[in-house]
Every structure is written in structure tokens, then in C-alpha cells.
Amino acid sequence: MKSSGPAPSATSLPRAPRDEVGARSVRYLVMMGIRVACFILMVVITPYGWYTWVFATGAIFLPYIAVVSANVGQDSRGNRREDPERALPAPPVAPAAAAAAPLVIRIEEARPASGESTDRSA
């Protein structure tokens, strides 16, 4: 038996799992590249100063952030459903001339003549 609900819109469907895994892998590799750069800059740049601590903090905490962000899937991000019905234009407005003279239908009951009886069951 088919479901009676409306068909899902192409704009409201989630990303394909293959595309989602690819995006998460790229995000992880970029963050780990930044981590390696932080580690190298921490060791190479001399004299050591406050920026050494910034690079060390990046080298220490970026792996955790990279793993957590790579494991978070599409489900945690809010899927914003796009409703195409709201994008449709409003129906055209009736001309002002037709609105000024509305069509009125009146139904009136005829009154019986003075000699006729009002009882019709006879």
C-alpha cells in the first residue's frame, strides 16, 4: 500500500552518504594539515615567545576537534526543508470594476393571494 503523504522534495532530501563521507574526510585532512603546520612552526620559529604557546595549543587540541567534527554526520546539522509552495506568486487580483458591482442573487418567496389558502396538504 502506498503512503498517502506527499512525495519528498529534492531540496529537502539529505546529502548522499558518499558525498557526506567525502566532505568529512576533506575537513579532517585539512584540520590535520593545520595541526602539522602548527607543530612544525612551534619547533622551527625562534626565539620562542607567546606565539609558541598558540602553535602548541593548536598542535595539541586540533586532533580532538578534527576527529569530533569528522564523526559528526549530517543528522546533527539541522536540515532546513525548503518549501516550494512559498515561492509561488500570489494569484492575480480581480479587476476593480468587478469588485465594485458584486453579483447578488436574491430569492424571495411569493406571497399567496388573499383568496388562496396557505395550507398545501389538501
Side-chain angles (χ1 to χ4, degrees), residues 37-74:
C38 285
F39 185 76
I40 292 171
L41 290 172
M42 177 185 71
V43 173
V44 171
I45 294 183
T46 56
Y48 300 120
W50 62 269
Y51 46 84
T52 305
W53 294 104
V54 173
F55 293 140
T57 304
I60 293 170
F61 291 111
L62 273 177
Y64 174 76
I65 295 169
V67 168
V68 169
S69 68
N71 287 333
V72 173
Q74 184 73 14

Short mmCIF file of all heavy atoms in Angstrom, two decimals, residues 37-74:
data_model
loop_
_atom_site.label_atom_id
_atom_site.label_comp_id
_atom_site.label_asym_id
_atom_site.label_seq_id
_atom_site.Cartn_x
_atom_site.Cartn_y
_atom_site.Cartn_z
N ALA A 37 51.23 21.79 10.53
CA ALA A 37 51.86 23.10 10.34
C ALA A 37 52.10 23.78 11.68
O ALA A 37 53.16 24.39 11.91
CB ALA A 37 50.99 23.97 9.44
N CYS A 38 51.14 23.69 12.61
CA CYS A 38 51.31 24.27 13.95
C CYS A 38 52.49 23.61 14.67
O CYS A 38 53.29 24.29 15.32
CB CYS A 38 50.04 24.10 14.77
SG CYS A 38 48.72 25.22 14.32
N PHE A 39 52.60 22.29 14.56
CA PHE A 39 53.69 21.58 15.23
C PHE A 39 55.04 22.00 14.66
O PHE A 39 55.99 22.27 15.41
CB PHE A 39 53.48 20.07 15.10
CG PHE A 39 54.47 19.27 15.86
CD1 PHE A 39 54.37 19.14 17.23
CD2 PHE A 39 55.53 18.64 15.21
CE1 PHE A 39 55.30 18.39 17.94
CE2 PHE A 39 56.46 17.91 15.92
CZ PHE A 39 56.34 17.79 17.29
N ILE A 40 55.14 22.08 13.34
CA ILE A 40 56.41 22.47 12.71
C ILE A 40 56.76 23.91 13.07
O ILE A 40 57.92 24.21 13.42
CB ILE A 40 56.33 22.27 11.18
CG1 ILE A 40 56.26 20.78 10.86
CG2 ILE A 40 57.51 22.94 10.47
CD1 ILE A 40 55.98 20.47 9.41
N LEU A 41 55.79 24.82 13.02
CA LEU A 41 56.05 26.22 13.37
C LEU A 41 56.44 26.37 14.83
O LEU A 41 57.26 27.23 15.17
CB LEU A 41 54.84 27.08 13.04
CG LEU A 41 54.55 27.28 11.55
CD1 LEU A 41 53.23 27.98 11.35
CD2 LEU A 41 55.68 28.02 10.87
N MET A 42 55.86 25.54 15.69
CA MET A 42 56.19 25.60 17.11
C MET A 42 57.67 25.26 17.34
O MET A 42 58.35 25.87 18.16
CB MET A 42 55.30 24.62 17.90
CG MET A 42 55.60 24.55 19.38
SD MET A 42 54.64 23.27 20.20
CE MET A 42 55.41 21.79 19.58
N VAL A 43 58.19 24.31 16.59
CA VAL A 43 59.56 23.86 16.78
C VAL A 43 60.56 24.77 16.05
O VAL A 43 61.63 25.08 16.56
CB VAL A 43 59.71 22.39 16.32
CG1 VAL A 43 61.15 21.96 16.34
CG2 VAL A 43 58.85 21.49 17.17
N VAL A 44 60.22 25.20 14.84
CA VAL A 44 61.17 25.89 13.98
C VAL A 44 61.34 27.36 14.33
O VAL A 44 62.47 27.87 14.31
CB VAL A 44 60.74 25.73 12.50
CG1 VAL A 44 61.57 26.60 11.58
CG2 VAL A 44 60.83 24.29 12.08
N ILE A 45 60.28 28.06 14.62
CA ILE A 45 60.37 29.50 14.83
C ILE A 45 61.06 29.79 16.17
O ILE A 45 60.65 29.32 17.22
CB ILE A 45 58.98 30.16 14.78
CG1 ILE A 45 58.41 30.03 13.38
CG2 ILE A 45 59.06 31.62 15.18
CD1 ILE A 45 57.09 30.68 13.18
N THR A 46 62.14 30.58 16.06
CA THR A 46 62.86 31.02 17.26
C THR A 46 63.00 32.52 17.20
O THR A 46 62.99 33.09 16.11
CB THR A 46 64.26 30.37 17.34
OG1 THR A 46 64.97 30.67 16.16
CG2 THR A 46 64.16 28.89 17.58
N PRO A 47 63.11 33.26 18.19
CA PRO A 47 63.09 32.91 19.61
C PRO A 47 61.66 32.55 20.03
O PRO A 47 60.69 33.03 19.46
CB PRO A 47 63.58 34.18 20.29
CG PRO A 47 63.19 35.28 19.39
CD PRO A 47 63.25 34.70 18.00
N TYR A 48 61.59 31.70 21.00
CA TYR A 48 60.29 31.26 21.49
C TYR A 48 59.60 32.40 22.23
O TYR A 48 60.23 33.16 22.95
CB TYR A 48 60.45 30.05 22.42
CG TYR A 48 61.09 28.86 21.71
CD1 TYR A 48 62.28 28.32 22.17
CD2 TYR A 48 60.50 28.31 20.60
CE1 TYR A 48 62.86 27.25 21.53
CE2 TYR A 48 61.08 27.23 19.94
CZ TYR A 48 62.25 26.71 20.41
OH TYR A 48 62.83 25.66 19.76
N GLY A 49 58.28 32.49 22.04
CA GLY A 49 57.51 33.55 22.68
C GLY A 49 56.07 33.10 22.87
O GLY A 49 55.76 31.90 22.90
N TRP A 50 55.17 34.07 22.94
CA TRP A 50 53.75 33.75 23.17
C TRP A 50 53.17 32.96 22.00
O TRP A 50 52.28 32.13 22.18
CB TRP A 50 52.94 35.03 23.41
CG TRP A 50 52.96 35.97 22.22
CD1 TRP A 50 53.83 36.97 21.98
CD2 TRP A 50 52.06 35.94 21.11
NE1 TRP A 50 53.55 37.59 20.79
CE2 TRP A 50 52.45 36.97 20.23
CE3 TRP A 50 50.97 35.15 20.75
CZ2 TRP A 50 51.80 37.23 19.04
CZ3 TRP A 50 50.31 35.42 19.57
CH2 TRP A 50 50.73 36.45 18.72
N TYR A 51 53.63 33.21 20.77
CA TYR A 51 53.11 32.51 19.60
C TYR A 51 53.49 31.03 19.63
O TYR A 51 52.81 30.21 19.03
CB TYR A 51 53.61 33.17 18.31
CG TYR A 51 55.08 33.50 18.31
CD1 TYR A 51 56.02 32.56 17.98
CD2 TYR A 51 55.52 34.77 18.67
CE1 TYR A 51 57.36 32.85 17.99
CE2 TYR A 51 56.86 35.08 18.68
CZ TYR A 51 57.78 34.12 18.34
OH TYR A 51 59.11 34.40 18.36
N THR A 52 54.56 30.68 20.35
CA THR A 52 54.91 29.27 20.50
C THR A 52 53.80 28.54 21.24
O THR A 52 53.46 27.40 20.89
CB THR A 52 56.24 29.13 21.27
OG1 THR A 52 57.23 29.90 20.60
CG2 THR A 52 56.67 27.69 21.37
N TRP A 53 53.23 29.19 22.25
CA TRP A 53 52.12 28.59 23.00
C TRP A 53 50.86 28.47 22.14
O TRP A 53 50.10 27.52 22.28
CB TRP A 53 51.83 29.38 24.27
CG TRP A 53 52.96 29.29 25.24
CD1 TRP A 53 53.89 30.24 25.53
CD2 TRP A 53 53.28 28.16 26.03
NE1 TRP A 53 54.78 29.77 26.45
CE2 TRP A 53 54.43 28.48 26.78
CE3 TRP A 53 52.74 26.88 26.17
CZ2 TRP A 53 55.03 27.59 27.66
CZ3 TRP A 53 53.33 26.00 27.05
CH2 TRP A 53 54.46 26.35 27.78
N VAL A 54 50.66 29.43 21.25
CA VAL A 54 49.50 29.34 20.35
C VAL A 54 49.66 28.15 19.42
O VAL A 54 48.71 27.37 19.22
CB VAL A 54 49.34 30.66 19.55
CG1 VAL A 54 48.26 30.53 18.48
CG2 VAL A 54 49.04 31.83 20.47
N PHE A 55 50.83 27.98 18.84
CA PHE A 55 51.07 26.84 17.96
C PHE A 55 50.98 25.52 18.73
O PHE A 55 50.45 24.53 18.21
CB PHE A 55 52.44 26.96 17.28
CG PHE A 55 52.53 28.09 16.30
CD1 PHE A 55 53.68 28.86 16.23
CD2 PHE A 55 51.48 28.38 15.45
CE1 PHE A 55 53.77 29.91 15.32
CE2 PHE A 55 51.57 29.43 14.54
CZ PHE A 55 52.71 30.20 14.48
N ALA A 56 51.50 25.49 19.95
CA ALA A 56 51.43 24.27 20.77
C ALA A 56 49.98 23.93 21.10
O ALA A 56 49.58 22.75 21.05
CB ALA A 56 52.23 24.45 22.06
N THR A 57 49.18 24.93 21.41
CA THR A 57 47.76 24.69 21.70
C THR A 57 47.07 24.12 20.47
O THR A 57 46.25 23.19 20.56
CB THR A 57 47.07 26.00 22.15
OG1 THR A 57 47.77 26.52 23.27
CG2 THR A 57 45.62 25.77 22.50
N GLY A 58 47.39 24.68 19.28
CA GLY A 58 46.81 24.15 18.04
C GLY A 58 47.23 22.73 17.78
O GLY A 58 46.42 21.89 17.39
N ALA A 59 48.50 22.43 18.01
CA ALA A 59 49.01 21.07 17.78
C ALA A 59 48.40 20.06 18.74
O ALA A 59 48.24 18.90 18.41
CB ALA A 59 50.53 21.06 17.89
N ILE A 60 48.06 20.51 19.96
CA ILE A 60 47.51 19.60 20.96
C ILE A 60 46.01 19.38 20.78
O ILE A 60 45.52 18.26 20.83
CB ILE A 60 47.81 20.12 22.38
CG1 ILE A 60 49.32 20.05 22.65
CG2 ILE A 60 47.02 19.35 23.43
CD1 ILE A 60 49.74 20.76 23.92
N PHE A 61 45.26 20.46 20.55
CA PHE A 61 43.80 20.35 20.56
C PHE A 61 43.17 20.14 19.19
O PHE A 61 42.01 19.71 19.11
CB PHE A 61 43.18 21.58 21.22
CG PHE A 61 43.46 21.64 22.69
CD1 PHE A 61 44.31 22.60 23.22
CD2 PHE A 61 42.89 20.73 23.56
CE1 PHE A 61 44.58 22.65 24.56
CE2 PHE A 61 43.14 20.77 24.91
CZ PHE A 61 44.00 21.74 25.42
N LEU A 62 43.86 20.42 18.10
CA LEU A 62 43.27 20.21 16.78
C LEU A 62 42.95 18.76 16.45
O LEU A 62 41.95 18.51 15.78
CB LEU A 62 44.17 20.81 15.69
CG LEU A 62 43.90 22.29 15.42
CD1 LEU A 62 44.87 22.82 14.39
CD2 LEU A 62 42.49 22.52 14.96
N PRO A 63 43.73 17.76 16.91
CA PRO A 63 43.32 16.38 16.62
C PRO A 63 41.95 16.02 17.22
O PRO A 63 41.13 15.37 16.57
CB PRO A 63 44.42 15.52 17.24
CG PRO A 63 45.60 16.40 17.27
CD PRO A 63 45.07 17.79 17.49
N TYR A 64 41.71 16.46 18.44
CA TYR A 64 40.41 16.19 19.06
C TYR A 64 39.28 16.85 18.26
O TYR A 64 38.26 16.22 17.96
CB TYR A 64 40.41 16.70 20.50
CG TYR A 64 39.06 16.60 21.17
CD1 TYR A 64 38.57 15.38 21.62
CD2 TYR A 64 38.26 17.72 21.33
CE1 TYR A 64 37.34 15.28 22.21
CE2 TYR A 64 37.01 17.63 21.91
CZ TYR A 64 36.56 16.42 22.36
OH TYR A 64 35.34 16.31 22.93
N ILE A 65 39.48 18.12 17.91
CA ILE A 65 38.45 18.85 17.16
C ILE A 65 38.24 18.21 15.78
O ILE A 65 37.10 18.08 15.31
CB ILE A 65 38.85 20.33 17.04
CG1 ILE A 65 38.87 20.98 18.42
CG2 ILE A 65 37.90 21.08 16.12
CD1 ILE A 65 39.49 22.36 18.44
N ALA A 66 39.32 17.77 15.14
CA ALA A 66 39.22 17.15 13.82
C ALA A 66 38.45 15.84 13.88
O ALA A 66 37.59 15.58 13.02
CB ALA A 66 40.61 16.92 13.24
N VAL A 67 38.72 15.02 14.88
CA VAL A 67 38.03 13.73 14.99
C VAL A 67 36.56 13.93 15.30
O VAL A 67 35.68 13.29 14.70
CB VAL A 67 38.71 12.84 16.05
CG1 VAL A 67 37.86 11.63 16.38
CG2 VAL A 67 40.07 12.41 15.57
N VAL A 68 36.27 14.83 16.22
CA VAL A 68 34.86 15.06 16.58
C VAL A 68 34.10 15.62 15.39
O VAL A 68 32.98 15.18 15.09
CB VAL A 68 34.77 16.01 17.80
CG1 VAL A 68 33.34 16.47 18.01
CG2 VAL A 68 35.28 15.30 19.05
N SER A 69 34.68 16.58 14.68
CA SER A 69 33.96 17.15 13.54
C SER A 69 33.84 16.14 12.39
O SER A 69 32.88 16.20 11.62
CB SER A 69 34.66 18.42 13.05
OG SER A 69 35.90 18.12 12.49
N ALA A 70 34.79 15.22 12.25
CA ALA A 70 34.69 14.20 11.20
C ALA A 70 33.64 13.15 11.54
O ALA A 70 33.03 12.58 10.64
CB ALA A 70 36.04 13.52 10.99
N ASN A 71 33.43 12.88 12.82
CA ASN A 71 32.44 11.88 13.21
C ASN A 71 31.02 12.42 13.27
O ASN A 71 30.07 11.64 13.32
CB ASN A 71 32.81 11.26 14.56
CG ASN A 71 33.99 10.34 14.43
OD1 ASN A 71 34.23 9.76 13.38
ND2 ASN A 71 34.75 10.20 15.51
N VAL A 72 30.88 13.71 13.29
CA VAL A 72 29.54 14.30 13.32
C VAL A 72 28.99 14.25 11.91
O VAL A 72 29.57 14.80 10.99
CB VAL A 72 29.59 15.76 13.84
CG1 VAL A 72 28.24 16.42 13.70
CG2 VAL A 72 30.05 15.79 15.27
N GLY A 73 27.87 13.58 11.77
CA GLY A 73 27.27 13.44 10.44
C GLY A 73 26.29 14.54 10.13
O GLY A 73 26.18 15.54 10.83
N GLN A 74 25.55 14.33 9.08
CA GLN A 74 24.56 15.30 8.62
C GLN A 74 23.38 15.39 9.59
O GLN A 74 22.69 16.39 9.63
CB GLN A 74 24.05 14.87 7.23
CG GLN A 74 23.09 15.83 6.59
CD GLN A 74 23.77 17.08 6.09
OE1 GLN A 74 24.98 17.15 6.00
NE2 GLN A 74 22.99 18.08 5.78
#
